Amino acid sequence: MRLTTALVTIASAIVLACSTSQVEAATPVVAGYLLLNPQNGPAKLKALADNAANIPINRIFLSFARPGMVYVPGSKTLADVGLAYGTSGDYGFADLKTRVAQLTAGGVEVFLSVGGWNYGCFPFLYTYYSVGGYGTSTPNYYKIQDNGGTLAGCTEANMWCYTCEPKSENTVLADFDIFPEPTNSTTWKSAQSYVISTAGAAAPVFHPEIVPGRSWTDPVTKQTVVVPGSDAFVKQNRDPYQDLVYLAKDLGLTGVDIDYEEMWHADYLRAGPTTGPWTNEQTTYKYAAIMQDVRLNILAIQPSLMLATAASAAGGLSTPWWGGNLKNIWYFVNKWYPDLYAFIANTGGINVMTYDLSNNQEFHECPDASTCSLSQQVNYYMKSYADNNMLAQVGYEIGIPAYPASDHDPTHQLPLIQSELTSILNVQGAKGGFFWELYKAAGTSANVDVTSAAQQICKAALGASTPRCAGVIPQPGGVVPTSTVTATATATVTVTKTVSSTSSAPVTTTTGGASCSADAWNAATPYAGGSKVSYNGRLYTALWWSQNNLPTAGSPWSDNGACSTGSATGPTPTATTAPGSCSGVTTFSSTDAYSGGAKVTYGGFIYTAQWWTQGETPGSAAAWVKGAACSATLRRRLYQ
């Protein structure tokens, strides 16, 4: 369904009437992203909703929905939304709507976030034009060397050398998506006209030929690849950005958030001399068209809905662009489309991802030689927004940064330790802010844990006496951790080699031959606080609710010491045992025929057939829907 010309005309008139001034929000926002997954995402959201009035945040970003979603208004199903919240029935729609109502009643705004890293990464183009597009001396080129040897060695068979996600993630094309250009949509066409009308540099060139889920041939390399995502929105004649607004209305959400991270787009379409600097105005145009399409639909369908966006740290800079990021994008949106920037800034907000920064000057990753610490860089980037009269909120990351990779360049990571958080709050605190992620592990005792970070950001923005600022981030299962426990809390995140080397929290070890009469630990079993398990010849006690957290990884497990000789009952899992085993599920075979509902394992994941199929590979065919990982791991969002 598309908006009528009359509705577009009305919406356009409202847009023209919007003020372009930017004002500080009446109540600062203290927000946290919640990365959902079917295993424990609903339990996490329930814990937050049950404690809504007492958690130290006043906004939650539910993440991530697919940019190419399909949602028919009134259908009340998340089946084609791509939000990892349920795997059957209404895919969690009713439960999610209930939690949204609870949170809202408790004074917490709820936004649905679209995009993120995986749902914005085009593996082929990102590898060839971002990571490998500037020669071999780039920060992430080692991934190409480690997994393919050379750029030419990167193919779909080795996931284009695993630049979007590490090899350990076992990703397939179905894990990724891009933001589409829905040329069938009236509001998209209106948004394109809006962008073209005041374009400030080269003429906008859109790329409707790059359609998610369909084959596309790169005119430069002549390689033909399948574009990440699904073409369902094309087949059903729908606009995903309009469907996002319909979905938000039916769920009762406060707002929607566009987390735009298409680095590949900027690098693929860069313009300028061979050696740089370049311009990336074409990505500015695409991003502006997306936001304008969403804005037009908000004004026509649900005018009270807020629109937020995640912006890059360098997005507010006007200086030359040397590639590999989204520098200048938000600066030029504000310059060429000030009413659009103001609409976002004055409703949901411009949320700057001032994290995953590095101080590696081999790649000139500090703004200058004297601006290299985390707080110095954060304040530098936020100042660039302020200096250009661009209202924006600061971002924080809990635990081990995703970039640079901890197994490749840990010495140049800039994690959020207490002294750096204090320095940032001294400058940015009163304006509020957001953090990634509500259940992300602190990683080490030196890093600020999520509850402590949320409390401090909350007190700086809302006032030290604000009751909710004394609250904690609750664990699933009804267990509310104490401040001493949350200091080393471990969320269920992907256990990959990029995290494991530095992610273990301190543990308490008691020696003396503890009895292992407890059952062996099982990754698929949820454990309440106080539960005891045996693992690799040692006894462990759960400090709070846990599922799929290896006892040897630290909190929430306390090590009670080695078991007494001969006291163990039952087998103890070995280090090679896969958590959340897919035992009992048949391995996919290209020669077997499968009826609808059949389940198979492929590439470390469970897939369910939607209809009869034979010879169609899971992850690359619409017949299969991807489910839980055999390791029950949770995708991390990476920022390279």
Side-chain angles (χ1 to χ4, degrees):
M1 179 181 289
R2 292 175 289 176
L3 291 177
T4 64
T5 302
L7 283 174
V8 174
T9 302
I10 292 171
S12 298
I14 297 173
V15 169
L16 291 174
C18 287
S19 169
T20 60
S21 62
Q22 296 173 35
V23 296
E24 296 286 348
T27 301
V29 171
V30 181
Y33 274 82
L34 175 62
L35 183 60
L36 295 170
N37 75 326
Q39 285 78 33
N40 57 15
K44 290 176 180 177
L45 188 58
K46 180 180 185 301
L48 292 164
D50 289 345
N51 296 278
N54 301 308
I55 52 179
I57 57 174
N58 57 11
R59 178 181 292 180
I60 288 177
F61 290 105
L62 305 176
S63 53
F64 290 101
R66 284 188 178 272
M69 72 171 65
V70 170
Y71 177 77
V72 178
S75 62
K76 299 181 180 180
T77 175
L78 302 177
D80 297 314
V81 172
L83 188 67
Y85 195 73
T87 57
S88 61
D90 67 357
Y91 289 79
F93 181 94
D95 184 72
L96 184 58
K97 185 176 178 68
T98 297
R99 303 306 170 208
V100 169
Q102 280 184 271
L103 286 160
T104 303
V108 180
E109 299 173 338
V110 186
F111 281 58
L112 177 61
S113 186
V114 176
W117 180 250
N118 278 16
Y119 286 170
C121 196
F122 191 153
F124 164 67
L125 288 180
Y126 182 65
T127 297
Y128 275 76
Y129 294 95
S130 293
V131 177
Y134 299 97
T136 60
S137 297
T138 59
N140 286 309
Y141 199 85
Y142 76 93
K143 297 181 180 181
I144 292 172
Q145 294 171 319
D146 289 352
N147 297 295
T150 64
L151 184 59
C154 295
T155 66
E156 185 175 1
N158 64 0
M159 210 59 226
W160 291 283
C161 286
Y162 304 100
T163 59
C164 286
E165 288 280 16
K167 186 176 182 178
S168 57
E169 287 291 284
N170 296 313
T171 50
V172 293
L173 193 62
D175 291 310
F176 303 100
D177 205 345
I178 67 167
F179 282 81
E181 298 182 16
T183 54
N184 60 306
S185 164
T186 301
T187 47
W188 176 259
K189 292 176 181 176
S190 178
Q192 285 180 309
S193 297
Y194 166 83
V195 168
I196 293 169
S197 66
T198 57
V205 178
F206 292 92
H207 291 272
E209 75 280 6
I210 305 179
V211 181
R214 297 188 178 181
S215 294
W216 169 77
T217 300
D218 175 15
V220 179
T221 65
K222 309 302 180 185
Q223 293 195 57
T224 298
V225 298
V226 176
V227 180
S230 169
D231 65 352
F233 74 94
V234 179
K235 294 176 179 176
Q236 298 182 47
N237 195 34
R238 304 201 63 81
D239 179 349
Y241 308 121
Q242 184 182 94
D243 283 358
L244 170 63
V245 177
Y246 280 129
L247 175 61
K249 180 180 180 181
D250 284 0
L251 283 172
L253 296 170
T254 309
V256 294
D257 172 54
I258 305 300
D259 191 336
Y260 185 80
E261 300 184 44
E262 291 188 329
M263 316 297 195
W264 63 267
H265 191 275
D267 293 310
Y268 180 59
L269 297 172
R270 67 180 186 263
T274 303
T275 57
W278 300 277
T279 60
N280 57 1
E281 64 265 10
Q282 295 302 331
T283 304
T284 301
Y285 298 146
K286 178 180 180 179
Y287 170 78
I290 292 167
M291 301 305 289
Q292 175 68 354
D293 192 350
V294 177
R295 175 167 68 151
L296 289 174
N297 282 292
I298 286 175
L299 294 170
I301 298 169
Q302 186 75 348
S304 63
L305 200 67
M306 297 181 184
L307 177 58
T309 193
S312 75
L317 294 169
S318 62
T319 48
W321 182 67
W322 292 95
N325 53 50
L326 295 180
K327 187 178 182 180
N328 305 151
I329 301 297
W330 286 265
Y331 170 83
F332 285 120
V333 168
N334 184 57
K335 182 177 180 179
W336 300 333
Y337 312 105
D339 60 307
L340 176 60
Y341 189 97
F343 181 87
I344 305 166
N346 291 331
T347 59
I350 311 291
N351 301 305
V352 186
M353 296 181 289
T354 41
Y355 43 82
D356 290 329
L357 303 173
S358 169
N359 61 4
N360 189 345
Q361 283 299 71
E362 177 184 354
F363 302 110
H364 310 286
E365 293 190 305
C366 299
D368 58 58
S370 61
T371 309
C372 278
S373 72
L374 176 65
S375 58
Q376 288 172 332
Q377 292 198 48
V378 168
N379 290 330
Y380 172 89
Y381 289 122
M382 292 307 299
K383 186 175 184 297
S384 72
Y385 280 85
D387 286 349
N388 290 302
N389 192 33
M390 300 162 65
L391 183 61
Q393 284 76 49
V394 68
Y396 307 84
E397 181 175 23
I398 307 302
I400 305 298
Y403 177 84
S406 59
D407 65 339
H408 179 74
D409 187 18
T411 61
H412 291 109
Q413 287 184 331
L414 298 174
L416 186 66
I417 60 176
Q418 184 56 57
S419 60
E420 293 295 85
L421 175 58
T422 300
S423 295
I424 297 170
L425 288 174
N426 286 340
V427 178
Q428 311 293 339
K431 303 172 187 177
F434 72 101
F435 57 87
W436 175 266
E437 185 266 350
L438 277 161
Y439 289 90
K440 189 167 184 283
T444 72
S445 58
N447 298 340
V448 182
D449 65 280
V450 64
T451 287
S452 180
Q455 289 175 343
Q456 293 180 65
I457 298 167
C458 184
K459 290 175 181 178
L462 306 182
S465 61
T466 303
R468 74 164 57 250
C469 295
V472 301
I473 304 302
Q475 295 296 314
V479 179
V480 179
T482 65
S483 58
T484 56
V485 171
T486 57
T488 56
T490 301
T492 305
V493 298
T494 302
V495 180
T496 70
K497 68 176 184 178
T498 61
V499 177
S500 59
S501 62
T502 56
S503 62
S504 296
V507 298
T508 301
T509 302
T510 303
T511 59
S515 172
C516 279
S517 58
D519 291 338
W521 175 80
N522 188 317
T525 302
Y527 297 97
S531 299
K532 295 184 182 299
V533 299
S534 59
Y535 184 77
N536 282 353
R538 301 183 74 82
L539 184 70
Y540 294 85
T541 301
L543 299 176
W544 57 82
W545 187 95
S546 168
Q547 185 177 19
N548 191 36
N549 295 99
L550 274 170
T552 53
S555 295
W557 292 102
S558 174
D559 187 343
N560 302 134
C563 300
S564 301
T565 303
S567 64
T569 60
T572 299
T574 67
T576 57
T577 300
S581 172
C582 286
S583 60
V585 182
T586 304
T587 301
F588 169 76
S589 170
S590 60
T591 59
D592 290 346
Y594 301 95
S595 57
K599 294 183 183 298
V600 299
T601 61
Y602 183 80
F605 289 84
I606 294 177
Y607 288 84
T608 303
Q610 299 303 287
W611 50 79
W612 187 94
T613 177
Q614 184 177 27
E616 296 182 286
T617 304
S620 300
W624 295 100
V625 171
K626 189 175 184 180
C630 294
S631 60
T633 57
L634 178 63
R635 288 275 174 267
R636 294 182 63 213
R637 180 171 73 170
L638 302 182
Y639 302 92
Q640 279 107 323

